[in-house]
Every structure is written in C-alpha cells, then in structure tokens.
Amino acid sequence: MQVQARPLGMGLATFPHAMYYAALAGILARVFPVEVRYTGMSLSYQLCTTLFAGTAPIVSQYLLNATGSIWPVVALGLGYTLVTLVGVLPLLARTAAAPEPAAVTTRTASHA
C-alpha cells in the first residue's frame, strides 16, 4: 500500500497553521484591555489578513511567472512566517510579564 503524497503534504502543511490559530485567540485576548478587546482583536486580525493574506496569491503568482520556479513562492511563505514570529514574540513576552487582566464588573440595578 502506497501513501499518496498530496494528502500527506497537505496534512504537514496544515499542521503548523492549525497550531498558530489555536494560540492566536489567547494571545490577542491577553494583549488588549477588556474595554477594547473585541475591537482590538478584530482590527488587528482583519488588517493583517487584508495586507498579507489578501495580497499573497497575487504576489505568489507574480513570483511564479517571473521566475518559473516555486522556490521564490516558498521563500515568500517563509518570509510571512518570519514576520509573524517577529510580531508575536514581543506579544508573548508582554503577556507573560503582565498580570492576569481584571474582569469588567457591571452594575445592576437593585430591585427594592
């Protein structure tokens, strides 16, 4: 029985991506204060997605057409990974040193 390369390759390529998304929400939740957490998480995620994921197919296709090789596209993916590490590592250091954020208390009207 021969293992097909495509499903195995897709699984190996998807595994680091899944690890990243598993940690992303927790990291972003600790970075932003409670009062602006939802907006901060949403803006940072959507802006980065627009800038990097939105342009990645166009840039990748350009690199593939210009060079005729897949290796510049691989280098672009590795570059995106490096940008992610440079951005996330300071956030991890900041959240590790910060105390646990306090919960927001809401006032409720007492019924007399």
Side-chain angles (χ1 to χ4, degrees), residues 10-68:
M10 286 301 296
L12 291 174
T14 304
F15 185 70
H17 190 74
M19 289 176 25
Y20 166 74
Y21 275 105
L24 181 66
I27 293 168
L28 288 178
R30 297 268 329 242
V31 170
F32 295 102
V34 174
E35 297 81 15
V36 295
R37 183 169 292 159
Y38 187 82
T39 302
M41 288 175 67
S42 180
L43 277 175
S44 63
Y45 183 81
Q46 299 305 327
L47 288 174
C48 287
T49 300
T50 300
L51 291 173
F52 294 105
T55 59
I58 297 167
V59 174
S60 297
Q61 188 64 53
Y62 171 78
L63 290 172
L64 186 62
N65 290 345
T67 65

Side-chain angles (χ1 to χ4, degrees), residues 64-76:
L64 186 62
N65 290 345
T67 65
S69 173
I70 193 70
W71 292 111
V73 179
V74 171
L76 177 68

